[in-house]
Each structure stands twice: as structure tokens, then as C-alpha cells.
Amino acid sequence: MADAQAVAAVSEEAKPDADTLQVLRDLANRLRIHSIKATCTSSSGHPTSCSSAAEIMSVLLFHVMRYKEEDPENPNNDRFILSKQLAFFDMAIGWYGQGLGTACGMAYTGKYFDKASYRVFCLLRDRESWEGSVWEALAFASHYSLDNLIAIFDVNRLGRSGVLPIENCIDIYQKRCEAFGWNTYVVDGRDVETLCAVFWQAAQVKDKPTAVIAKTFKGRGMPSIEDAESWHGRPMPTERADAIIKLIESQIETNRHLEPKPPVEDSPQINISDIEITAPPAYQVGDKVATRKACGLALAKLGHANERVIVLDGDTKNSTFSEMFKKEHAERFIECFIAEQNMVNVALGCAIRGRTIAFVSTFAAFLTRAFNQICMGAIFESNINIVGSHCGISVGEDGASQMALEDLAMFRAVPNCTIFYPSDAVSTEHAVFLAASTKGICYIRTNRPETDVIYTAQESFEVGQAKVVRHSVNDKVTVIGAGVTLHEVLAAAADLSKEDISIRVIDLFTIKPLDAATIITNAKCTGGRIITVEDHHPEGGIGEAVCAAVSMEPDILVHRLAVQGVPRSGKSSELLDMFGISAKHIIVAVKSILTN
């Protein structure tokens, strides 16, 4: 749509008057001045990128968006996602490709969970649109008819290190967005009147998200810098900055401030705290249940405990058993298809401002694709829960591509991340409920094979508290397992007892935080001898976590059993044996450590 057509299409009462338009232009120039001053003071930043979007920001913040300036966390406020750090905004993404997916999560929450009037705006750079996760988000928003979502593409042709391949060919951006099912406008990003018009028109559109393709110029209003290469991320010298500021100030004609419109106050009051198990787990000791299935059942149960619990899955629901949640709470299940980066971004968006308790569910091996998104969630102190199933070689016949053998290392490196590794159905249910009320990123590692229930329904669990599941005064070695390996350890203990060799068995339950006190205390009772057994590569897993925990204890020795090398397809039991983490290998390790 041409700029003149856009302006003509706006109803007369919605058109800003000439004075308001001039104030918006002046506010844009003030934003330019602020960006120059801030980056000069800090000797770092992006004044040219800020300058290209100044009119867009002016129109959004002072004319279009509805919010309470004195109450930025108000649940009724419009939301804004930006790819650079500024106060007030819900999330400022440090790297590119993540903002639109997060905005999708916020828009989905607003439309389907809150059923509220607030809208979500996301500003993207043109170079960001080369990220595949952006197109995952475009497809998601169109599929779910997120008409409360507006994405603005700041097309200034310049990337970080040079000119982008399609430069200012905004018709290409337009065709791409339209092909993904978006209502799309092409505008001059410097024209505040046209920007006001298209944002008004976007508000009238139903059942489609809107993309605004804005042609802009990097360094707009800065002589010899505007549209020039090699100025990305560079604050300008003080003398040059002073001259440019004086030039911009000379173009400012008003001294007015525009107050934002108040939001429509129709977001529901919610409560996502005090999550507790409503009834004991319905399992008997000796039942055979895969922890992935127990997790699906626990999520369904959790959904009854709090109506703000949601589950997102990446087309794996029939294997992760998240379909059990969908069966009982279909309106709170989000199918994200095979787009793991966007799935995590959407979950982050859903959880912003504490609007939902979000669980992401997929094969743990696929989460490596979304590691950057998970890290950004930790940086922004987001509260989301991630369930990774099909961990380790115990996956069996599905083969190496489905076996997560690096996930513990990955999540252990995430700041303030809690890692649950339940070993049976009862502990899995507790892990799910504990994760729902734990701050930060939580990861629950589940397994494919069926394993025995070893805990009674009355057993209690806490974050950072391990369980000593077998012990006697005659124990010679402390053996630590989790998940499937705990059952191998218990089998080894039973066989060793027939030879009058007693071992102490610890179930870690949480890998992070690790119960170092329980490990050290029990190790000292067994001559300082520890064996760790894990269905994971040795790097970054349980063995290394335990070694770190006992590193200041001079008389404790740790022997590690882990999966070495590249795995292969086969029966679960055969692979556990082939890669040295079966009961047979544990027995050999115990005898070896006692002999040596």
C-alpha cells in the first residue's frame, strides 16, 4: 500500500492533527540525540541503528501503544520487544532472531489465555530476518491467527559488517511476509503520518498478524554518516557528536510531551504461586512406568491444580506423552511443530510478566538447536520449564540421532538452572510439581524405557536433596546413579550382596543444585570411595558434577562410568552393556576399586 493511500484510508477522527505530527517528529529527533549522548558517554553502542528507527519508536511509544508509564509491569499494557536494551520494554534481545518468537508467545497469551485487549509490537532489523527462527515465528503467528501482533521490519540495508544482499528491496520483504500469511504494509519509515496510518489500519485487521516493512536509513539525520558503511556499533567522536546534536536540535520546533493512551483494563487476575500436589502419586512400588509417561501424566495432573499451566510441544507429543496434557487441557496445549528455537521463544513470551506456568516438551536431543534461546531466557531471569525425553543410549533402536548425551552439560552451564533427573514415576511427578514453583529455567530429564517404581506414594522430595536408597553399616563403596542407571546400580547391588559385598546407593534427583553434603557424608562412611554411573557423555555430566562437589575433600576418590564415543542403534539393555554402564560393568568397577 502506498503512503498516500495509507493516510487516506484512516478515518478522520483517528488522524493525528498537524501539531501532534510535528511533536512526533520532534520526539524522534530527541530520541536521536539521546542515543548519541548515551553511546558517547559509554563509549559503546549503536547510535546509527537507533537513528534509523527513531520515527518508528516515536510513533509507537507516544501515539500508538497503550500503557501506564508509571506502571510498566501492568498486565493490561501493550507489549514491546526490541533487539537492543532499553528500559521499560518486556525483552530486549541481545542477539538476533529471537524477538519475534517471544512476541508470538506474548500475543498468543493475550489472545487465547488472557483474552485481553493488549497488543504486542516487535521491532526487527532487516539483517535479523536472515535468521531461520524469524521465519519459524512468522509461520507460527500466521497459523494461530495472531491479529494482536505487529512486527516492524527496520529495513536500512546495512548489516554489521557490510551491505545486506537484498539492500533496500522492500518488495522482497513484502512478498516474503505475505507468502507466510501476514497482512503487510510497506512504508517510508521516516514519515510519521504514514506510520500513524498503518498502525491504525493494523488494529482493524482480524485473524492475521501484521508486518510493517519500513524503509529507513542508518544514521538518519547525521551528515556524512547517514546510509554510510562502517559505522555500525560505533559511537562518534565528541566534537562530531556535538555538531550533529546542534544540527538536530535546530530542527526541533516544539517542546511538548505526548502522554501515552491508557490501556484497556481487561486482563484477568491470576495466581501462579503455591503449586502443590493435590493427591499422592497413584503408583505402587514395583509398577513398571517410563518416566516420560509419568511426566505426561504429571503435567495433566498439574493442569488441574492451576489453570495457568500450559504445555508446548514440537510434534513429539505421542512420544513425550505430552498428549496426555492435551487430552485433558486442549485449550492450554500449544503445538509448535518441528521448530524448537521458536518453541522456546514462544514459551519465554508466554511466561513474561508471570502470565503462565510454561512447560516445553520435546526430545532432549533436539534442544541443542535452542540452546541460545535457553541462555537468553536465563539472562532475562525467565521462568520456564523444559522437559527433555529420550535421553541417553537407553533410547535403544531409535539410534544415535535421537540420543541426548550432552544435555546435562548444556543445562549445567545455564546460570540459575535447576536440573531434575527423576528415576521413577513417583519422583517424576514430584519433579514436575517442584519445577512449576521453582524460579528460573528448570530442566527435567526423562527416559524412554519402563523402569520400576521404587518410591512409595508418601515419599517426599525437595530441590537439591538426594536420596540414599540402599545402605548398611557394612557398605564399602558409594555408587551414584540417576534415571535408568540407578536401576542398573540397584541390580548390581543385589548381585554384589550375594558375594557379601555391600554398596551404598544414592539417587541424586537433582543434578543442579547437587546435594554435596549427602554425597560427602556417605562417601566418608564407605572409605572415601565413589563410583558414578550415567547415561551421558563423561564431559559435563554427573561424574564431573560429583568430582567438583568433592574436590576439596582430600580422601575421596571418584571413579566414573559414562558413555564414551559415538553411540549406535540397538536394544536398550545391549547398549547399556556395550557402552559400559550396565549392572555387569558396575560390579566390575566396584571390585576393581576395592582391589586397588
Side-chain angles (χ1 to χ4, degrees):
M1 179 180 287
D3 294 353
Q5 290 177 305
V7 173
V10 179
S11 65
E12 287 301 320
E13 62 271 19
K15 289 182 180 179
D17 58 33
D19 288 343
T20 299
L21 292 173
Q22 185 57 50
V23 174
L24 290 171
R25 295 185 190 99
D26 292 343
L27 287 169
N29 277 325
R30 288 194 175 93
L31 289 172
R32 287 190 173 90
I33 292 170
H34 287 319
S35 70
I36 294 170
K37 288 182 176 179
T39 53
C40 283
T41 300
S42 64
S43 299
S44 177
H46 302 263
T48 57
S49 298
C50 293
S51 184
S52 72
E55 280 79 14
I56 296 169
M57 295 302 302
S58 173
V59 170
L60 284 176
L61 291 178
F62 304 111
H63 182 71
V64 175
M65 289 179 63
R66 293 178 173 270
Y67 59 94
K68 292 185 176 181
E69 196 170 8
E70 74 284 359
D71 185 13
E73 294 298 316
N74 191 296
N76 301 294
N77 289 346
D78 284 347
R79 276 70 161 150
F80 190 83
I81 299 290
L82 183 65
S83 288
K84 42 187 175 277
Q85 181 70 57
L86 289 176
F88 181 83
F89 302 134
D90 294 277
M91 185 172 280
I93 307 300
W95 194 239
Y96 306 108
Q98 301 183 23
L100 188 57
T102 305
C104 284
M106 300 172 80
Y108 193 102
T109 298
K111 180 167 183 172
Y112 294 109
F113 302 145
D114 288 342
K115 297 178 171 61
S117 300
Y118 64 78
R119 294 193 294 163
V120 181
F121 299 84
C122 179
L123 177 62
L124 305 92
R125 316 263 190 92
D126 45 358
R127 65 194 181 103
E128 183 176 2
S129 70
W130 291 85
E131 282 279 6
S133 56
V134 170
W135 302 97
E136 291 179 4
L138 285 165
F140 178 93
S142 175
H143 177 74
Y144 287 110
S145 304
L146 299 182
D147 49 15
N148 57 345
L149 174 62
I150 299 92
I152 307 101
F153 289 82
D154 176 5
V155 183
N156 61 36
R157 91 177 181 92
L158 294 175
R160 184 184 187 91
S161 58
V163 177
L164 295 172
I166 57 177
E167 300 194 32
N168 277 130
C169 298
I170 54 177
D171 59 317
I172 295 178
Y173 291 98
Q174 178 184 11
K175 290 174 182 177
R176 288 177 177 177
C177 290
E178 288 175 344
F180 273 76
W182 284 55
N183 170 56
T184 307
Y185 302 105
V186 172
V187 300
D188 182 343
R190 303 164 297 179
D191 187 334
V192 296
E193 185 174 14
T194 303
L195 288 167
C196 290
V198 297
F199 286 128
W200 179 86
Q201 289 176 342
Q204 318 310 312
V205 174
K206 301 300 179 186
D207 299 324
K208 275 189 174 186
T210 291
V212 176
I213 314 298
K215 183 176 181 179
T216 63
F217 293 92
K218 213 165 190 175
R220 162 78 171 152
M222 304 176 183
S224 302
I225 295 176
E226 181 174 330
D227 199 33
E229 295 184 47
S230 302
W231 276 96
H232 179 88
R234 288 177 55 193
M236 54 197 69
T238 302
E239 289 185 4
R240 192 166 191 177
D242 290 341
I244 291 173
I245 288 171
K246 287 180 181 179
L247 175 63
I248 296 174
E249 286 176 336
S250 71
Q251 299 167 10
I252 296 174
E253 299 179 14
T254 67
N255 195 30
R256 282 177 56 196
H257 176 73
L258 297 176
E259 295 294 331
K261 300 180 183 72
V264 179
E265 301 198 15
D266 58 358
S267 290
Q269 295 293 318
I270 63 168
N271 179 22
I272 61 169
S273 59
D274 303 322
I275 306 296
E276 295 181 355
I277 292 182
T278 52
Y283 303 104
Q284 300 294 322
V285 172
D287 288 349
K288 282 194 172 293
V289 185
T291 54
R292 59 172 175 150
K293 183 175 183 179
C295 188
L297 289 166
L299 288 171
K301 184 175 180 178
L302 180 65
H304 290 291
N306 190 291
E307 63 181 8
R308 301 300 290 194
V309 173
I310 66 170
V311 171
L312 304 88
D313 195 279
D315 194 27
T316 59
K317 57 185 176 291
N318 57 338
S319 293
T320 63
F321 287 94
S322 66
E323 64 183 3
M324 293 179 169
F325 181 92
K326 182 182 180 182
K327 182 179 179 180
E328 298 187 30
H329 314 284
E331 73 285 357
R332 287 184 271 145
F333 181 88
I334 307 176
E335 177 57 74
C336 296
F337 308 101
I338 304 176
E340 288 81 11
Q341 293 183 14
N342 187 61
M343 177 169 61
V344 172
N345 281 332
V346 170
L348 292 170
C350 289
I352 284 177
R353 302 196 186 195
R355 301 309 294 174
T356 68
I357 302 169
F359 281 80
V360 170
S361 175
T362 189
F363 288 13
F366 302 161
L367 290 169
T368 54
R369 303 173 184 172
F371 186 47
N372 188 223
Q373 283 74 14
I374 293 166
C375 289
M376 289 303 300
I379 288 170
F380 284 97
E381 299 181 344
S382 300
N383 300 317
I384 65 166
N385 308 292
I386 301 170
V387 180
S389 74
H390 292 65
C391 296
I393 57 173
S394 60
V395 167
E397 289 86 350
D398 282 0
S401 66
Q402 316 290 296
M403 298 172 175
L405 288 159
E406 64 291 301
D407 53 314
L408 291 179
M410 187 170 80
F411 280 98
R412 282 185 65 218
V414 175
N416 302 315
C417 177
T418 301
I419 303 174
F420 297 90
Y421 194 0
S423 297
D424 78 342
V426 172
S427 57
T428 299
E429 185 166 317
H430 281 275
V432 168
F433 275 78
L434 286 169
S437 55
T438 299
K439 297 294 184 184
I441 306 291
C442 288
Y443 176 57
I444 303 175
R445 191 179 207 238
T446 66
N447 293 120
R448 183 186 186 190
E450 291 183 343
T451 50
D452 289 341
V453 172
I454 61 173
Y455 295 110
T456 66
Q458 289 71 42
E459 189 78 31
S460 62
F461 291 83
E462 299 293 338
V463 173
Q465 187 176 95
K467 296 287 185 182
V468 181
V469 296
R470 182 173 176 135
H471 65 93
S472 75
V473 294
N474 299 316
D475 294 338
K476 298 295 188 291
V477 182
T478 294
V479 186
I480 299 171
V484 294
T485 64
L486 180 72
H487 298 272
E488 295 297 317
V489 173
L490 289 171
D495 288 344
L496 285 166
S497 68
K498 297 172 185 177
E499 302 179 42
D500 292 325
I501 300 174
S502 296
I503 64 173
R504 190 158 299 191
V505 179
I506 293 178
D507 176 12
L508 290 177
F509 184 59
T510 54
I511 311 302
K512 183 182 177 183
L514 192 71
D515 188 353
T518 293
I519 293 169
I520 292 169
T521 299
N522 285 277
K524 288 181 177 180
C525 292
T526 57
R529 294 179 285 265
I530 294 176
I531 296 173
T532 61
V533 192
E534 59 189 308
D535 194 0
H536 187 276
H537 285 314
E539 295 82 7
I542 290 172
E544 288 195 353
V546 170
C547 285
V550 303
S551 60
M552 301 302 291
E553 302 293 330
D555 298 322
I556 293 180
L557 171 70
V558 180
H559 180 77
R560 295 182 289 158
L561 300 180
V563 178
Q564 303 277 358
V566 179
R568 49 164 287 181
S569 177
K571 292 181 179 180
S572 178
S573 59
E574 293 173 350
L575 293 177
L576 292 174
D577 195 47
M578 179 183 296
F579 286 90
I581 57 172
S582 65
K584 182 177 75 175
H585 289 274
I586 296 167
I587 291 170
V588 170
V590 168
K591 291 180 177 179
S592 175
I593 200 171
L594 289 175
T595 301
N596 296 329

